[in-house]
Amino acid sequence: MATFRIKRYNPEKQPEPYYEEFQLDIPQGATLLDCMNQIKWTLDGSFTYRMSCRSAICGSCAVKANGHALLACQRQASHLVKNGDTIVLEPLGNMKPIKDLVVDFKPFWDKIDKIKPYLQPKTRAPEKERLQSPEQFKRIDDSSTCIMCGSCYSDCNVLEVNDKFLGPAALAKAQRFVEDSRDGKTHERVKELSKPGGIWDCTHCAECVERCPKPARPFDRIKEVMTVALEERVTNNTGARHAISFTKSIKSSGRLNENTLPVESVGYFNVKGLFDLLPVGLRMLFKGKIPPILHKSIDDVDDVKRIFMEADKE
Ligand code: SF4
Ligand code: SF4
Ligand code: FES
């Protein structure tokens, strides 16, 4: 017997959401979705959520269970029981609830649209299909597995504070076209993706990788797009300059030069950006937090340099 503590919301009846508890004997081997269905079919027919395939294929049953997004049809309910007997169910995060566990996916789809999720080949269509080698397909295989469930979008920390961020799903989808051998707009794509709200706004927390029910692993795909952006020399932006400055510093001395990093990140000729740094710099100075100009050299710096040499060779 478990308690399902469910966040209910029906603005037609009550403006504020509330929690309601249901007791259910979890049948042997039942998934979380099976239990949600039992609650709906036997205890409260008004309980509302999305579902379709029951096979972790359609992506529609994503909800938050005990604070984290997952596919309800992919998880054994008994594995989710917390504190002895409770499972807390809530709607996905970073999207507006419509009713109970159903959220408005419009911002999610708008961002997918923004990355132009279709091939833009350079050449005219051949008579038959455009072929790819198995190696070329391998580069986009993982991102192709995305089922658009929104779990990553729900739990992305950046989206909580910046709704302009494209988000993990759209960026993983973008990688699928950036690295597609049949696409002819790689440079234009990474240029667009390097603007504010794009790849460089990701904070590398990897939460999206934890939540993704498929091998799409959005953060890994974001890193791949970052790499292509640097290879394409799309570097006139804070994120790329930050990555380059960081690498240069570690490569040359084995340590991070925190004095030059912020300046090199905003750009030496970016007068406004440099002025924006001033208040933080001054606060750090007065609080005695400015890093020393001269660091003592680190032991075994040659080992660090050798790692970079090996990586460069790769
Ligand atoms: S790694 Fe980036 S995209 Fe993924 S959840 Fe964290 S901030 Fe969001
Ligand atoms: S990347 Fe993973 S978590 Fe995000 S929408 Fe696609 S399948 Fe779902
Ligand atoms: S019902 Fe389709 S993924 Fe769960």
Side-chain angles (χ1 to χ4, degrees):
M1 184 62 74
T3 302
F4 288 77
R5 187 172 153 73
I6 301 176
K7 193 166 186 183
R8 306 295 307 266
Y9 177 56
N10 182 357
E12 285 174 8
K13 291 200 170 151
Q14 184 176 324
E16 293 303 323
Y18 59 96
Y19 285 88
E20 189 172 2
E21 294 190 351
F22 297 92
Q23 313 293 323
L24 191 80
D25 216 351
I26 298 179
Q28 178 81 19
T31 64
L32 175 59
L33 183 60
D34 292 332
C35 295
M36 288 159 59
N37 286 338
Q38 279 304 310
I39 293 170
K40 184 173 178 68
W41 295 337
T42 63
L43 300 175
D44 184 346
S46 72
F47 176 35
T48 306
Y49 48 91
R50 290 193 178 106
M51 59 159 272
S52 181
C53 69
R54 299 166 72 183
S55 315
I57 293 171
C58 73
S60 58
C61 68
V63 293
K64 264 192 181 182
N66 301 329
H68 295 296
L70 47 72
L71 291 182
C73 69
Q74 199 187 33
R75 296 296 189 88
Q76 292 282 299
S78 57
H79 296 174
L80 295 165
V81 177
K82 280 260 160 87
N83 303 326
D85 75 334
T86 308
I87 301 178
V88 180
L89 291 184
E90 293 164 317
L92 291 180
N94 294 325
M95 285 177 272
K96 235 172 96 191
I98 297 173
K99 189 177 177 196
D100 292 345
L101 304 184
V102 174
V103 295
D104 180 5
F105 261 69
K106 187 169 184 315
F108 177 91
W109 294 120
D110 285 349
K111 287 170 185 179
I112 300 284
D113 273 354
K114 266 199 183 159
I115 61 98
K116 301 200 172 122
Y118 40 83
L119 283 178
Q120 301 179 80
K122 267 204 182 113
T123 53
R124 285 171 67 84
E127 231 167 75
K128 286 190 181 168
E129 71 270 37
R130 293 178 196 274
L131 294 177
Q132 271 198 313
S133 68
E135 289 70 35
Q136 285 169 334
F137 177 67
K138 212 162 172 257
R139 299 198 69 81
I140 58 167
D141 191 4
D142 288 341
S143 43
S144 306
T145 63
C146 170
I147 55 172
M148 301 282 151
C149 67
S151 297
C152 56
Y153 193 93
S154 159
D155 288 19
C156 171
N157 301 302
V158 172
L159 282 165
E160 277 180 35
V161 291
N162 174 12
D163 63 6
K164 300 276 181 298
F165 180 45
L166 283 168
L171 292 174
K173 178 62 89 186
Q175 184 274 341
R176 186 241 167 284
F177 293 97
V178 164
E179 299 221 66
D180 193 311
S181 57
R182 299 161 294 183
D183 194 79
K185 296 273 185 191
T186 308
H187 186 80
E188 291 82 347
R189 285 184 189 277
V190 288
K191 211 167 155 190
E192 201 54 38
L193 292 166
S194 296
K195 290 182 177 168
I199 43 176
W200 300 107
D201 280 6
C202 164
T203 56
H204 305 194
C205 70
E207 185 69 17
C208 50
V209 174
E210 295 287 314
R211 301 300 145 227
C212 183
K214 296 287 169 185
R217 300 174 60 90
F219 177 48
D220 290 350
R221 308 290 78 80
I222 292 170
K223 283 184 284 183
E224 286 162 4
V225 180
M226 287 170 171
T227 305
V228 177
L230 296 178
E231 284 166 358
E232 290 283 321
R233 303 200 184 287
V234 180
T235 53
N236 191 17
N237 58 74
T238 308
R241 282 192 294 262
H242 183 83
I244 292 166
S245 171
F246 198 106
T247 312
K248 195 177 80 183
S249 173
I250 303 285
K251 191 174 182 176
S252 63
S253 60
R255 67 173 178 82
L256 185 61
N257 188 333
E258 289 176 290
N259 290 314
T260 55
L261 185 73
V263 180
E264 290 186 346
S265 298
V266 297
Y268 284 111
F269 302 109
N270 179 355
V271 179
K272 184 184 172 306
L274 292 173
F275 264 109
D276 287 348
L277 279 180
L278 255 183
V280 183
L282 287 174
R283 271 206 307 279
M284 286 172 72
L285 184 68
F286 292 131
K287 301 264 180 196
K289 298 276 186 190
I290 292 281
I293 304 285
L294 295 174
H295 284 258
K296 71 178 179 62
S297 60
I298 67 158
D299 298 337
D300 302 327
V301 67
D302 287 343
D303 286 348
V304 179
K305 288 182 180 168
R306 211 168 48 246
I307 292 170
F308 275 91
M309 266 163 52
E310 292 298 324
D312 285 345
K313 260 194 255 162
E314 283 288 310

